Amino acid sequence: MASKKDGVMYIGITNDIARRVYEHKEGLVPGFTKKYKVNKLVYAEMFNNVTEAIEREKQLKGWRREKKILLIETSNKSWSDLYKTIL
């Protein structure tokens, strides 16, 4: 999730991506994403195994910002909001 290109980024996991992105968009959950208006889905990976998802989340959170940007831009060069593609 991102606030805008070159803005604040957030990495997290969920078992219902459409619901979770909606919550971020509407500011329904207090905290980091609401405070910084992080409400655009710019990148996502799907996993069948929650343990693998958690490991990947930890890996991505350990990356430098520049590496995260490169990952996003491999599939979403313009940082478009992908929310409608997951509905």
Side-chain angles (χ1 to χ4, degrees):
M1 303 280 309
S3 60
K4 60 182 178 176
K5 188 172 184 174
D6 299 327
V8 177
M9 290 188 278
Y10 169 81
I11 297 171
I13 65 168
T14 182
N15 64 353
D16 186 340
I17 192 167
R19 174 192 50 81
R20 191 67 178 122
V21 173
Y22 175 80
E23 291 170 349
H24 288 300
K25 289 189 160 302
E26 298 300 318
L28 299 177
V29 179
F32 180 86
T33 57
K34 183 175 181 177
K35 179 178 179 180
Y36 294 101
K37 297 183 173 102
V38 180
N39 58 17
K40 282 179 59 176
L41 179 66
V42 294
Y43 182 81
E45 294 181 12
M46 305 298 176
F47 293 88
N48 291 322
N49 181 301
V50 69
T51 304
E52 291 174 9
I54 292 168
E55 286 302 313
R56 181 63 167 162
E57 176 190 28
K58 289 177 184 178
Q59 179 186 38
L60 295 175
K61 285 182 174 182
W63 285 8
R64 295 179 51 85
R65 179 179 180 81
E66 295 80 16
K67 191 170 180 179
K68 294 174 190 175
I69 289 170
L70 286 173
L71 178 64
I72 293 165
E73 291 183 350
T74 60
S75 61
N76 188 1
K77 184 94 174 146
S78 64
W79 289 58
S80 300
D81 190 348
L82 305 175
Y83 178 60
K84 290 183 182 177
T85 68
I86 62 167
L87 296 177

